[in-house]
Amino acid sequence: TRPGASPRWRAIAPGLEFTLLRGDPYCRRGSPAIAVLRIDPAHARIRVHHYTRQPEQRPLSIVEWLRLTNANAAFNAGQYYPDYSYMGVLVSDGVPVFAKAHPGFRAALAADPVGGGTGAHVLDLAPDSLLEVAHAWREVAQSFMLFDRGGNVRVRQSDQEANRTVVAEDANGRLLVLTTEGSYTLYELARWLQDSKLGIALAMSMDGGLEAEMCVRTEHFAYASFGHWNPNGHGGPSTEGGRVPLPAVITVTSR
């Protein structure tokens, strides 16, 4: 799709739509394509997974995660420490896998309300609200805000570039998962998102770099984007795409 053009959505399963956009002129390296998966939470289930809750007890590649969960889509969750523990609160199927909040992260993807029903949101967190969120939702992944409902970009300007994964919510309450095929700074990607015709109300950033990956698979559609660019764009593109071990992922399954 040309820069600034209206997205042309393709329905790929009930509650799931897909499009490819171009991030010109902000792409620093590689392909300017940005994959966008749009989710209607009323017709698709969002789940959080961590390797410690799986039989194999090891971080899996994004392709392995998709195969294991039999989901329609899988993408990388937020950041993690060298020992693969999650940076922030992570709740999977109602179980708090990591209960210690990251003090600098003010966003969370929350899905599957404890009281029943359907729903999922990107939440802008107050410092003391995360424990309440963790008790109200069965699926929670904490990370940091990219920009809020007031239009305020919540990341600083820098030259640090990498592949990026973003989770956003639009004005109609739909979720959008975006993964870049090329290398972007967070600040410039936030500006591109705000100027796009995606109707995004607020957005949070997940992990970036080689871990920024997304696989989509339905009966008549398939797409994969693997991280190729290390943070800061050092060196050339990596050949490890699709094989990076991910300790935590988020899956989407059409209901």
Side-chain angles (χ1 to χ4, degrees):
T1 303
R2 298 187 310 276
S6 297
R8 299 180 64 181
W9 294 102
R10 174 176 178 176
I12 59 173
L16 301 179
E17 298 171 285
F18 184 88
T19 192
L20 272 177
L21 301 175
R22 292 178 62 89
D24 310 282
Y26 296 119
C27 182
R28 299 286 187 101
R29 295 188 182 203
S31 167
I34 299 176
V36 189
L37 177 67
R38 189 164 69 178
I39 306 161
D40 181 350
H43 298 284
R45 186 176 184 192
I46 296 168
R47 294 200 60 189
V48 174
H49 305 268
H50 194 266
Y51 80 95
T52 56
R53 290 177 49 77
Q54 303 302 324
E56 294 193 37
Q57 291 285 299
R58 67 176 177 86
L60 304 174
S61 72
I62 192 72
V63 176
E64 290 175 316
W65 276 116
L66 190 68
R67 185 180 301 120
L68 174 70
T69 60
N70 199 31
N72 293 125
F75 60 95
N76 61 292
Q79 299 182 65
Y80 55 90
Y81 296 103
D83 65 355
Y84 291 129
S85 58
Y86 194 74
M87 288 187 182
V89 170
L90 193 78
V91 180
S92 173
D93 197 23
V95 177
V97 184
F98 294 96
K100 185 177 180 181
H102 189 293
F105 290 175
R106 294 285 185 265
L109 172 61
D112 199 2
V114 170
T118 60
H121 293 285
V122 174
L123 304 177
D124 189 353
L125 302 173
D128 58 351
S129 66
L130 192 58
L131 289 180
E132 180 181 341
V133 169
H135 286 99
W137 300 86
R138 296 180 59 82
E139 311 287 344
V140 180
Q142 184 186 12
S143 193
F144 61 93
M145 187 62 67
L146 194 57
F147 60 88
D148 57 34
R149 290 186 182 275
N152 304 299
V153 177
R154 301 259 285 270
V155 293
R156 58 184 172 82
Q157 296 189 53
S158 77
D159 288 325
Q160 187 172 3
E161 56 175 279
N163 287 91
R164 304 293 181 185
T165 298
V166 172
V167 181
E169 185 174 334
D170 69 14
N172 296 313
R174 295 169 297 197
L175 294 183
L176 298 93
V177 182
L178 304 98
T179 303
T180 71
E181 293 186 2
S183 184
Y184 293 77
T185 72
L186 279 173
Y187 186 87
E188 290 175 347
L189 182 58
R191 288 303 190 195
W192 179 87
L193 290 169
Q194 290 180 322
D195 292 339
S196 74
K197 296 185 179 180
L198 293 169
I200 293 175
L202 75 171
M204 62 185 287
S205 177
M206 309 308 275
D207 202 4
L210 300 183
E211 291 80 6
E213 302 185 313
M214 178 167 65
C215 287
V216 182
R217 177 191 59 191
T218 64
E219 185 178 359
H220 301 293
F221 179 83
Y223 172 84
S225 177
F226 304 135
H228 293 297
W229 299 98
N230 284 298
N232 299 317
H234 292 160
S238 169
T239 59
E240 292 300 308
R243 295 192 293 272
V244 176
L246 298 176
V249 299
I250 298 164
T251 61
V252 184
T253 306
S254 176
R255 295 181 188 273

